[in-house]
Amino acid sequence: MTHAPHPDNRPDDPASLTQTGRMLRPQTNGCRVAHDLSGVWSFRLDPDDEGRERGWCRGVPEPVPAGVPGSWNEQVPGARDELGPAWYERRFELPPVGDRQVGIRFGSAVYAAEVWLNGERLGEHEGGHLPFMLPCSAALADGENVLVVRVDGRLGRDRVPPGLVPAEHTHGVTFHPDVSFDFFPFAGIHRKVELVATPWLGISGLRLETVLDGAGAALFVQVEAGEGEVTLALDGERITSPHRVERERLWCPQSPRLHLLEVELRRGGTLVDRYTLPVGLRVAGVEGDRLLLNGEPVELRGFGRHEDFPVLGRGTAPAVAARDLLLMRQLGANSFRTAHYPCDEETLDIADRLGLLVIAETPAVGLYFADEDLPRRQELALRFAAELIARDRNRACVIAWSVANEPRMNYPGAAAALGQLCDAARALDGTRPVGYATDLPDSPGVDAADVIFLNAYPGWYKYPARLETAESALGEQLDRIHGQHGKPIVITEFGADAIPGSHADPPALWSEEYQAELIERLIRVAAQRPFVAGTHVWAFADFATAQGTHRPQSINFKGVFTRERQPKLAARRLNILWRNHADR
Ligand code: GCB
């Protein structure tokens, strides 16, 4: 265990708080305050981008009310296709923070945010779906405070995920707004905003690692903190690092045990800081062509899941996350992928509690490798992977990183760029397998992954309406990939659109029967192959897309549940297939 002062952790160093915010999620206890600023904010679109010039950073004129968290697109009438910039304002009285360093932490603002407090610029952050903290002690007023945020959700080739991408680097479909990915580019403040007060020179970082060790495991705890004495307790008992635990105490889908880790920092006998964390102890890895959990082969059964719900857009709500993950468990699923970006932290809290195994994906969907702006996109993809790993590295539920989804491989630099992303993730966290979801498993670059995440649509985009051909095509593809690489394969996407209420006998494209039948047949093909370590149906629920002629009602209907979370036939079918698994 180390508890040397973190070099960045100096009272007047803004970087220290930013770093702390990334690594330690806010909490309220006797030493720390996390004051939730969610609620009704003031909002105004700024399509001409004149707000800066007009001084809106001191207060937004003629606003409308808007809920945070939430996207503005389905919330504010008329704003559906507007991607900003837009301005948000929230006034608050300073809660009793005492003599602590204070920052404002955003769970996610899509795509870029610039923040002012009482007219003073606090900073900015690029990239959605990942938290950032801006120190604000010096700008705080004792009474009322005016927090203003400019959010820019516009698309660009120099952003990740990229937008306005030339057609030769997309799947060849045209959307409005002009995205190269298949989900609506919702914009806004999508997750909690918190005013966070932490002790000066307190606990700034925590890193956990569980290692199998004979009949049990050893938990290593590394604490970064200011000067002083650090103590650890697990479930109320003092421990030191490494700490041995028996096998029955390990976390797994059948038994998602969480233990309460308490870290305390004392100076001269006085308690200075305290941080608590529910932790699951488990080990994820790959051996040969098997994916392992706690040293045993594990099979992932589940879905790709978007954060998407009517009116909220991509704004998160714990009730929606709880319903989704409870439904997954009820069906017999044990896993999901956070497609195509990191999911909300409260969703991961639920996954930890329910024993769901998560493939955590970065926002790097639709990467392409043409020269224009390439260094910028790669820099962002690397940065976002690092931010994701910093946020989620101590999570039991997260068992693998996916560093991209369906990168276009038609440029010579593609394989090297993917290799660099995988290596970077492994260098930051050597405790989990790394991969990227690909629809092009025969391209160079695949070897950079520890697990092959395969997106495949036989029976839909390929061989539509031909169920038997779809089965044999998937079988051949799996055997070929396995023969070439000898690695475990998780089928991270397969499925078919089913318009809710559309029925056909015999099964036909777009009907609930066809979707159910195709999913069942392909799962059976995978089940015959022990090197297939998982099947994730695309998708858990229907979700909004941009407008395009191939997306009726601007919805991707590959959900097993509707967008409102009502079951289609496929849900029943999956339940029959999955209900007898021991780790339900
Ligand atoms: C894919 C993409 C996913 C799409 C899906 C589809 O391969 O990864 O984002 O939504 O196909 O339904 O076309």
Side-chain angles (χ1 to χ4, degrees), residues 69-70 190-192 305 307-309 312-324 344 346-347 350:
H190 284 166
R191 296 180 189 159
K192 252 189 208 171
R305 175 181 180 266
E307 290 183 329
D308 173 281
F309 201 72
L312 292 176
R314 193 141 291 123
T316 47
V320 176
R323 178 165 175 87
D324 286 5
D344 181 45
E346 286 179 321
T347 307
I350 300 170

Side-chain angles (χ1 to χ4, degrees), residues 310-465:
V311 183
L312 292 176
R314 193 141 291 123
T316 47
V320 176
R323 178 165 175 87
D324 286 5
L325 274 53
L326 287 167
L327 283 171
M328 287 186 198
R329 266 330 221 160
Q330 196 181 63
L331 290 190
N334 66 3
S335 177
F336 66 96
R337 176 172 61 123
T338 71
H340 297 304
Y341 36 77
C343 75
D344 181 45
E345 290 161 285
E346 286 179 321
T347 307
L348 294 179
D349 293 344
I350 300 170
D352 270 338
R353 286 175 59 170
L354 294 179
L356 284 159
L357 305 167
V358 177
I359 299 176
E361 192 158 88
T362 72
V365 49
L367 287 183
Y368 70 107
F369 301 93
D371 290 347
E372 187 193 37
D373 294 319
L374 177 59
R376 177 85 183 121
R377 288 194 297 275
Q378 184 72 357
E379 178 201 323
L380 290 171
L382 286 163
R383 188 198 301 169
F384 298 160
E387 289 185 10
L388 168 64
I389 292 170
R391 192 192 74 167
D392 292 346
R393 61 174 317 130
N394 292 332
R395 290 278 183 182
C397 63
V398 174
I399 56 148
W401 307 115
S402 166
V403 296
N405 180 72
E406 297 196 356
R408 304 289 83 217
M409 303 304 290
N410 56 348
Y411 261 72
L418 264 309
Q420 191 190 21
L421 284 174
C422 290
D423 287 346
R426 267 189 294 264
L428 289 165
D429 174 28
T431 75
R432 288 172 178 85
V434 174
Y436 62 93
T438 183
D439 55 332
L440 302 168
D442 298 319
S443 329
V446 171
D447 257 332
D450 303 316
V451 188
I452 297 172
F453 297 143
L454 174 70
N455 293 353
Y457 285 93
W460 187 255
Y461 294 120
K462 256 193 177 172
Y463 317 115

Side-chain angles (χ1 to χ4, degrees), residues 208 219 234 251 257-261 277-281 394 396:
L208 309 179
L219 168 69
L234 199 64
W251 182 99
R257 285 161 190 267
L258 296 175
H259 304 277
L260 187 69
L261 179 70
L277 192 66
V279 296
L281 312 178
N394 292 332

Side-chain angles (χ1 to χ4, degrees), residues 222-360:
Q222 218 182 322
V223 179
E224 286 171 7
E227 229 32 69
E229 191 210 350
V230 173
T231 55
L232 303 175
L234 199 64
D235 296 331
E237 285 188 24
R238 272 294 270 277
I239 61 159
T240 51
S241 173
H243 172 69
R244 270 199 53 84
V245 288
E246 300 308 315
R247 202 172 176 90
E248 351 23 293
R249 295 181 72 193
L250 296 185
W251 182 99
C252 60
Q254 304 90 299
S255 170
R257 285 161 190 267
L258 296 175
H259 304 277
L260 187 69
L261 179 70
E262 295 165 85
V263 184
E264 292 186 342
L265 173 69
R266 285 186 173 71
R267 246 174 248 138
T270 308
L271 182 68
V272 179
D273 198 4
R274 174 179 158 77
Y275 195 79
T276 60
L277 192 66
V279 296
L281 312 178
R282 54 102 199 100
V283 180
V286 165
E287 210 174 88
D289 59 9
R290 297 291 194 279
L291 182 65
L292 305 181
L293 186 72
N294 299 330
E296 305 286 334
V298 64
E299 182 209 329
L300 312 182
R301 299 183 309 276
F303 303 93
R305 175 181 180 266
H306 266 296
E307 290 183 329
D308 173 281
F309 201 72
V311 183
L312 292 176
R314 193 141 291 123
T316 47
V320 176
R323 178 165 175 87
D324 286 5
L325 274 53
L326 287 167
L327 283 171
M328 287 186 198
R329 266 330 221 160
Q330 196 181 63
L331 290 190
N334 66 3
S335 177
F336 66 96
R337 176 172 61 123
T338 71
H340 297 304
Y341 36 77
C343 75
D344 181 45
E345 290 161 285
E346 286 179 321
T347 307
L348 294 179
D349 293 344
I350 300 170
D352 270 338
R353 286 175 59 170
L354 294 179
L356 284 159
L357 305 167
V358 177
I359 299 176

Side-chain angles (χ1 to χ4, degrees), residues 456-472 474 494-497 507-509 511-526 537-538 558 570 573-574 577:
Y457 285 93
W460 187 255
Y461 294 120
K462 256 193 177 172
Y463 317 115
R466 291 163 60 193
L467 289 164
E468 262 125 58
T469 314
E471 284 177 82
S472 49
L474 181 65
F494 64 107
D497 285 74
L509 293 179
S511 69
E512 293 195 24
E513 284 79 3
Y514 186 85
Q515 182 192 40
E517 187 65 24
L518 180 69
I519 288 173
E520 173 168 358
R521 285 178 185 235
L522 298 184
I523 286 180
R524 290 194 189 284
V525 169
V537 178
W538 188 255
K558 290 193 189 67
R573 196 72 72 87
L574 284 169
L577 277 173

